[in-house]
Amino acid sequence: MTRRLRQHHCGSPEHGSNRRQFLQAGVASALGVSLGGLDAAYNVAWADELKRQNKHVLLLWLAGGASQLETWDPKPGRPTGGPFKTIPTAATGVHICELMPKMAKLMQRVAVVRSLDTRIADHGTAAALMETGRTKEPAIQHPELGAVIARELGDRDADVPSYVSLYLATEGHRRPDPGFLGGRYAAMHLNQSLKPANIDRPDGLSEVAHAEREDLRRFLTDRFDRERNAPAIKGYNNTYARVRGLMKSDSLFDLEREPLAMRDRYGHTDFGQHALIARRLVEAGVPMVKVARAWWDSHADNFESHRELVGELDHVMSTLLLDLDERGLLESTLVVTLSEFGRTPAINKSVGRDHFASAWSFSMSGCGVRGGSVHGKTDQDGNTVADGKVGAGEVLATIYKAVGIDPKKEYRVGQRPVPLAPEGSHPIDAVLA
Amino acid sequence: MHSSLRALVCAVLSVAPPADDRLAGVDQVAERIDQLIEQCWQSAAVSPAAPVDDLSFLRRATLDLVGRVPTYREATGFAADTSPQKRAGAVERLMSSPEYALHWGAVLDELIQGRHAGDREFVAYLRRGVAQHKGWDAVFREIMIGPWDADEQKPAARFLSRRVRDIDALTSDTSRVFFGVEVACAKCHDHPLVSDWTQHHYFGMASFFNRTFEFGKEKIVAEKDSDDINFVDRKGNQHTAKTMFLSGRVVDEPKFVVDPKLKDLKDRYKTEGKYLAPLFSRRAELVSVALDQREFFSRAIVNHIWANLLGRGLVHPTDQMHSENPSSVPDLLEFLSDDLAAHGYSLDRLIAAIVSSRAYQLSSTWQSAAEPPGDELFARAQLRALTPAQFAASAILVAGDSALDQAQTDDERIKRRQELEDKARALTESLDRRTTNFQSSATEALFMSNNPAVQQWLVPGGNNLVARLATLGETDKMVDTAAWTILGRALDADERNHLVRWIDAKEDRPAACSQLVWALITSAEFRFNH
């Protein structure tokens, strides 16, 4: 089954959207009923239901491009296979690379998609593609996955951030972009230290003084709103009202509060400790966490670097899944491992593998996932997708559906309806529970 | 005459009108705006909001014309001015200030460059243009075809050079910025909503850019002599795109006899040793046809400027100008764009007329029992979030010393203002961008609440506001001064009582002063243009 990826969705009937609805939307706009920007009105009851279920997405972003051959789609014995063997897993008939023995035991909780063909093999462009499901368009800035999850699963007035992104490496670093969803859904982005920016009370200002001046700010703002009654002013006040709660979430980032045994369990690597923070955040109700591990870009010595990186991934990811499970959180947390692309089956002169977007893999575990399932396959050397080709749009649609978000739901940007997953991209139902 | 040569001659002839005449007739334009809008209100049976009060007007106009809030001296001076013409006087003063070009250069940069805004040399180029009262047609021409030889003119090529490897961006951004039209949807199929736009329009517009490329080590924006776009329509038919403007006008291409050995510019460059302009420039043709069939061009800029000053375009959204989405005020867009074209595409004239109009000078409050009117009727001023640059510069200005007020000469004023801008630049990344439906973020609220750079404004030092307030003994003087400096207005009795009591209840008065300044700067009244 092959689906064509489309670059632009405009709500055209040719793209399968409902023309009448679209025209009505346009008319409503002309009458000033629903104006510009993002239309906030949608099915509130359904959204509330989702939020009550308290679901989370935890994205392990393998920046630089992890090799599918040394992880989820090994080709032992083939010229492209490299030195590593495959091992059987807890999921009958599913074999993965021997570098992942711990994950092998957990494969009944994991789904693998081995048939990504995303075409773009340039780091920045491909990362944007995988995180928005779309190639860049000049006229509209699509939000990335994390911002959409934050909006769909987050509680507007929560004391915890709705999206935290941990990306302390410089390689492949991109600032998460909420696009047209706007600042409310921007990530709390940690790229300098594990401490969120501006979360500490300023020196010399007591807690009481901090609260009192906020009361004064609110008094002045409410007076200003009296004869205006403007949503933008109320939203502005609501944002400031979250400040004190967010300042308290400071402790979530403090691993000193975690028992030493737990820190040992995750391992004293940056990736391990970041994954532990991610678990703390999820436990505290943060709906979207992204943890980046860089830099997988193994143009040289692919096997040495993957021995180390995949070993670490195996340990951290398996620890995370078990820890979430023990806390009863895996049912409600979707853990995704994803890169911007995979690596070439062909091994280059430097014993490296290069950028490769034509036939690669990603995995999903936990919430909404049919454990032990595999979708798609590549040919015997891994050069092409042999079955079940999917693209970035399908990845997004599948992630959304796994946590109960309708991928066809539309945002209105100006007059244009924009579906969460690009038009024509369907969830990969084979990997969903 | 050869077309690119013609364009060049036009560029040379487009000289700025003398400054004195520049704003002659603005009052009549403003009156016509009022007439057309009032007719619109009548037919919609709405009564507009009350006129904006003087000090709110001053704040609004100062933000819109020079990009910052008024200083204490400007606000109190305006309040004391008893002239009946003081609003017109303020507009003239603001538009004659060197800060006007600094601000509008940055506004045009945002408009033209969008996500690529912020290139200092490009901004400087635009600022020089505003200071020289360059017509919008001349800006467009320089951006599309140069000349880019002189150092001062070189940055004009940045619009193209930032997009030169992406023909979709060239096509789409040019159409949105200069013609108010979003054609990207027509790339894959005829536009679903707008019968005006077909694939032929998209690829027709793209054809003006398909020969544009980056040349040589210096990365000159260059144009090839040949090449066409082929595309397949939804029925599977293959087409060679015509070079076609949005109006449907097709540009004919002369056949040149070119030495087959020198068939393209790269070969000619090798032979002749320098960059050569193409024999026929499609971009020059775009400039000619766009200025000839000028409705798209003139209406788009009027709509953009209107949206900047009123918070919403006459056609909304501003990149959706087409036959099924007319201006919400009949005839106004047509009138203003005709007037603009008839007066050398003078943005000064357009801006002055809009800020002199009744619609611009309405209150943003709504006191009537009736439902507030829809935004598209412009019967009430809309709240517009300050841009990060306006917000940061204004906050630093009001909290700081009053150096800007003390500037004696234009040069000194420019210097002070640029210092302010440099300080502001460090903060803008953390502040929320202005969007149609403004959404404030936790990032900004946390930044304003806790960032050391912000707290630094509140520490008494030198001649900054907190230090000045501390020297005022009486609390009511203190709160009055703070309000005049930050909000640019007097407090009403309730507010004054509340603030005085609030301060007097604190043991540590200097600390209370700092808190007061923080609360005023972070209040919505300061965060928005209203």
Side-chain angles (χ1 to χ4, degrees):
Chain A
M1 177 180 55
T2 306
R3 293 190 182 96
R4 236 186 97 207
L5 290 174
R6 293 186 212 291
Q7 294 196 354
H8 300 291
H9 169 67
C10 328
S12 157
E14 293 170 75
H15 285 178
S17 164
N18 180 330
R19 180 176 165 88
R20 200 175 60 179
Q21 218 172 33
F22 185 41
L23 286 175
Q24 280 168 349
V27 170
S29 210
L31 295 177
V33 175
S34 167
L35 304 170
L38 179 67
D39 184 2
Y42 61 105
N43 193 331
V44 175
W46 194 54
D48 285 352
E49 178 58 31
L50 266 184
K51 284 164 191 175
R52 269 199 298 279
Q53 290 165 1
N54 212 5
K55 289 184 173 170
H56 317 269
V57 175
L58 204 165
L59 172 62
L60 300 178
W61 178 253
L62 311 180
S67 170
Q68 68 282 6
L69 296 118
E70 277 69 55
T71 51
W72 310 114
D73 193 15
K75 300 288 178 187
R78 300 300 307 172
T80 54
F84 303 120
K85 300 191 194 68
T86 68
I87 49 173
T89 69
T92 314
V94 179
H95 288 62
I96 60 175
C97 179
E98 66 170 332
L99 297 175
M100 306 186 85
K102 293 173 183 166
M103 282 307 303
K105 290 185 190 140
L106 298 177
M107 284 304 281
Q108 76 281 11
R109 310 299 296 266
V110 183
V112 173
V113 174
R114 286 175 171 158
S115 50
L116 285 171
D117 179 0
T118 52
R119 299 187 204 176
I120 295 170
D122 153 75
H123 290 292
T125 319
L129 170 70
M130 295 317 296
E131 293 198 334
T132 63
R134 291 146 161 114
T135 49
K136 208 173 80 178
E137 281 180 60
I140 187 166
Q141 282 175 292
H142 289 286
E144 57 159 281
L145 163 72
V148 173
I149 296 287
R151 178 179 159 100
E152 297 304 315
L153 300 185
D155 175 357
R156 247 206 103 85
D157 305 316
D159 276 353
V160 293
S162 44
Y163 176 11
V164 177
S165 162
L166 295 137
Y167 202 135
L168 272 63
T170 48
E171 300 95 339
H173 183 264
R174 295 166 62 247
R175 180 167 283 276
D177 187 355
F180 61 69
L181 285 183
R184 173 63 185 81
Y185 302 102
M188 179 181 268
H189 185 54
L190 280 66
N191 62 338
Q192 303 290 331
S193 75
L194 286 179
K195 195 166 183 62
N198 304 315
I199 206 160
D200 284 341
R201 192 151 37 77
D203 289 342
L205 193 64
S206 71
E207 193 164 341
V208 172
H210 199 271
E212 280 180 349
R213 69 176 194 179
E214 164 57 19
D215 292 344
L216 191 60
R217 193 204 61 74
R218 175 170 289 268
F219 164 81
L220 293 164
T221 298
D222 286 341
R223 274 188 76 82
F224 177 68
D225 194 35
R226 270 192 321 194
E227 291 179 334
R228 292 182 173 84
N229 196 21
I233 300 174
K234 290 173 179 61
Y236 186 71
N237 262 347
N238 288 342
T239 304
Y240 271 91
R242 291 181 67 217
V243 163
R244 265 175 285 175
L246 290 171
M247 287 169 69
K248 284 187 201 122
S249 69
D250 176 0
S251 61
L252 298 175
F253 298 88
D254 181 5
L255 286 181
E256 296 295 326
R257 293 170 187 249
E258 201 63 37
L260 190 60
M262 185 56 78
R263 302 184 64 179
D264 291 343
R265 191 175 163 193
Y266 274 82
H268 293 271
T269 60
D270 286 345
F271 188 44
Q273 302 292 294
H274 296 179
L276 177 53
I277 289 174
R279 192 271 288 155
R280 288 173 63 81
L281 292 167
V282 162
E283 195 171 33
V286 177
M288 176 71 211
V289 186
K290 173 179 169 181
V291 176
R293 171 64 166 110
W295 181 237
W296 289 73
D297 197 20
S298 53
H299 291 285
D301 298 323
N302 174 75
F303 303 104
E304 282 316 302
S305 66
H306 273 69
R307 187 193 297 281
E308 187 185 318
L309 287 163
V310 179
E312 183 194 52
L313 174 66
D314 183 52
H315 177 75
V316 171
M317 185 177 169
S318 59
T319 307
L320 180 66
L321 294 183
L322 288 169
D323 189 15
L324 286 169
D325 197 28
E326 286 158 19
R327 288 162 198 268
L329 287 168
L330 193 56
E331 288 284 293
S332 59
T333 305
L334 173 68
V335 179
V336 179
T337 62
L338 187 64
S339 296
E340 63 264 46
F341 42 61
R343 308 216 69 86
T344 46
I347 299 163
N348 67 23
K349 285 178 192 156
S350 312
V351 204
R353 295 190 193 269
D354 300 316
H355 302 175
F356 186 64
S358 310
W360 58 290
S361 310
F362 84 107
S363 81
M364 307 205 311
S365 315
C367 180
V369 167
R370 179 176 299 167
S373 63
V374 174
H375 171 83
K377 65 177 184 194
T378 51
D379 64 37
Q380 58 181 359
D381 289 326
N383 285 316
T384 57
V385 171
D387 184 35
K389 187 184 285 191
V390 289
E394 281 78 8
V395 174
L396 254 63
T398 310
I399 291 171
Y400 293 145
K401 191 173 177 188
V403 291
I405 301 167
D406 179 1
K408 287 192 183 138
K409 187 186 142 176
E410 287 175 348
Y411 295 133
R412 286 271 316 284
V413 182
Q415 290 181 304
R416 175 175 164 184
V418 180
L420 266 57
E423 180 67 19
S425 20
H426 302 279
I428 308 164
D429 284 326
V431 298
L432 294 175
Chain B
M1 198 189 304
H2 193 281
S3 66
S4 51
L5 188 61
R6 185 173 66 218
L8 183 72
V9 172
C10 291
V12 172
L13 290 178
S14 170
V15 287
D20 299 340
D21 298 351
R22 197 157 50 87
L23 301 182
V26 160
D27 290 348
Q28 289 89 309
V29 181
E31 272 167 34
R32 184 66 185 145
I33 297 174
D34 294 348
Q35 280 171 6
L36 290 168
I37 291 205
E38 280 159 16
Q39 281 168 19
C40 176
W41 292 339
Q42 265 171 16
S43 56
V46 301
S47 312
V52 69
D53 64 87
D54 279 341
L55 287 164
S56 299
F57 168 78
L58 180 73
R59 186 179 190 273
R60 189 184 294 171
T62 307
L63 279 163
D64 283 333
L65 296 175
V66 300
R68 57 165 177 84
V69 295
T71 63
Y72 176 88
R73 184 189 286 183
E74 288 163 348
T76 51
F78 193 71
D81 185 347
T82 52
S83 151
Q85 297 299 317
K86 69 179 182 178
R87 292 193 185 192
V91 169
E92 206 173 312
R93 175 179 61 77
L94 290 165
M95 290 185 70
S96 313
S97 159
E99 291 183 81
Y100 171 75
L102 295 181
H103 174 61
W104 275 90
V107 170
L108 296 179
D109 176 47
E110 292 271 341
L111 167 64
I112 296 168
Q113 289 287 45
R115 71 181 78 184
H116 301 300
D119 178 320
R120 284 188 196 213
E121 290 173 5
F122 187 69
V123 175
Y125 154 76
L126 291 170
R127 286 172 166 174
R128 284 193 293 274
V130 177
Q132 294 159 8
H133 313 295
K134 196 181 277 176
W136 181 241
D137 54 340
V139 174
F140 171 57
R141 188 180 295 114
E142 287 169 10
I143 283 175
M144 285 295 146
I145 52 176
W148 302 317
D149 309 330
D151 277 351
E152 288 219 328
Q153 294 299 105
K154 233 177 229 163
R158 298 282 161 84
F159 174 82
L160 296 174
S161 65
R162 289 307 297 255
R163 297 164 175 81
V164 68
R165 290 149 189 267
D166 183 351
I167 190 171
D168 288 335
L170 283 172
T171 307
S172 177
D173 288 350
T174 302
S175 302
R176 286 188 303 117
V177 172
F178 295 104
F179 308 125
V181 165
E182 158 63 303
V183 288
C185 281
K187 184 183 176 187
C188 319
H189 49 68
D190 294 349
H191 199 290
L193 180 62
V194 188
S195 53
D196 303 10
W197 310 134
T198 67
Q199 280 185 289
H200 295 278
H201 288 93
Y202 180 82
F203 290 104
M205 286 302 288
S207 293
F208 286 107
F209 295 103
N210 77 310
R211 296 176 180 176
T212 295
F213 72 109
E214 249 175 345
F215 180 82
K217 275 191 200 128
E218 303 84 33
K219 299 198 168 172
I220 296 167
V221 174
E223 202 170 346
K224 290 188 278 188
D225 272 331
S226 58
D227 212 358
D228 288 310
I229 295 181
N230 294 310
F231 69 96
V232 180
D233 68 19
R234 298 290 293 187
K235 291 178 187 139
N237 301 319
Q238 179 111 17
H239 301 270
T240 296
K242 290 181 180 139
T243 311
M244 185 172 83
F245 189 58
L246 296 161
S247 59
R249 167 83 70 85
V250 174
V251 171
D252 294 323
E253 201 151 320
K255 290 260 180 271
F256 292 105
V257 182
V258 183
D259 180 346
K261 280 180 292 191
L262 300 177
K263 64 182 179 308
D264 71 18
L265 284 178
K266 275 187 185 164
D267 295 340
R268 289 175 57 204
Y269 172 81
K270 274 182 205 151
T271 313
E272 303 185 29
K274 61 180 170 120
Y275 170 65
L276 296 166
L279 297 171
F280 177 81
S281 162
R282 286 188 171 180
R283 271 190 279 108
E285 290 301 317
L286 175 63
V287 173
S288 298
V289 68
L291 294 179
D292 183 36
Q293 314 230 304
R294 60 169 180 73
E295 271 126 69
F296 289 97
F297 179 71
S298 55
R299 287 179 194 178
I301 187 61
V302 168
N303 202 41
H304 284 307
I305 301 284
W306 184 275
N308 183 277
L309 294 171
L310 277 299
R312 179 193 162 95
L314 287 162
V315 172
H316 175 85
T318 50
D319 63 359
Q320 297 290 333
M321 301 182 82
H322 53 75
S323 55
E324 293 172 58
N325 188 27
S327 163
S328 59
V329 180
D331 303 330
L332 182 51
L333 188 60
E334 293 77 359
F335 163 72
L336 285 174
S337 57
D338 287 348
D339 183 76
L340 183 75
H343 291 86
Y345 290 95
S346 161
L347 297 184
D348 296 341
R349 179 182 168 92
L350 175 64
I351 291 165
I354 294 175
V355 300
S356 306
S357 72
R358 184 177 169 196
Y360 181 82
Q361 299 191 18
L362 293 176
S363 171
S364 63
T365 62
W366 189 251
Q367 275 126 346
S368 153
E371 278 292 297
D375 291 344
E376 75 285 0
L377 295 173
F378 304 100
R380 172 194 185 185
Q382 291 175 29
L383 289 179
R384 290 170 284 150
L386 303 192
T387 62
Q390 285 176 331
F391 183 34
S394 296
I396 295 169
L397 173 69
V398 297
D401 56 26
S402 46
L404 192 68
D405 262 347
Q406 271 122 47
Q408 301 290 331
T409 63
D410 275 2
D411 283 350
E412 211 176 314
R413 178 166 286 271
I414 291 173
K415 191 166 162 242
R416 297 277 167 257
R417 180 58 194 269
Q418 284 191 321
E419 284 167 7
L420 201 57
E421 199 174 291
D422 289 341
K423 285 186 201 158
R425 196 171 293 117
L427 314 179
T428 50
E429 178 84 339
S430 307
L431 303 176
D432 295 322
R433 286 174 288 175
R434 178 193 279 182
T435 50
T436 315
N437 287 350
F438 178 72
Q439 289 200 51
S440 47
S441 76
T443 307
E444 177 178 308
L446 282 168
F447 179 82
M448 293 302 293
S449 296
N450 298 331
N451 189 274
V454 173
Q455 299 313 307
Q456 198 54 42
W457 306 341
L458 311 174
V459 177
N463 193 33
N464 73 5
L465 176 60
V466 182
R468 295 200 305 276
L469 292 178
T471 65
L472 302 169
E474 294 146 46
T475 313
D476 51 357
K477 255 191 198 158
M478 193 189 276
V479 299
D480 283 343
T481 305
W484 274 104
T485 308
I486 299 171
L487 303 179
R489 66 171 176 89
L491 295 167
D492 69 28
D494 282 356
E495 290 169 326
R496 184 184 290 109
N497 286 340
H498 185 92
L499 295 181
V500 166
R501 265 187 280 122
W502 194 87
I503 299 265
D504 284 345
K506 304 279 178 291
E507 277 175 27
D508 184 346
R509 279 174 74 86
C513 253
S514 298
Q515 264 131 269
L516 172 68
V517 169
W518 181 86
L520 287 165
I521 287 176
T522 53
S523 70
E525 182 172 349
F526 191 78
R527 186 64 184 82
F528 290 86
N529 192 349
H530 45 81

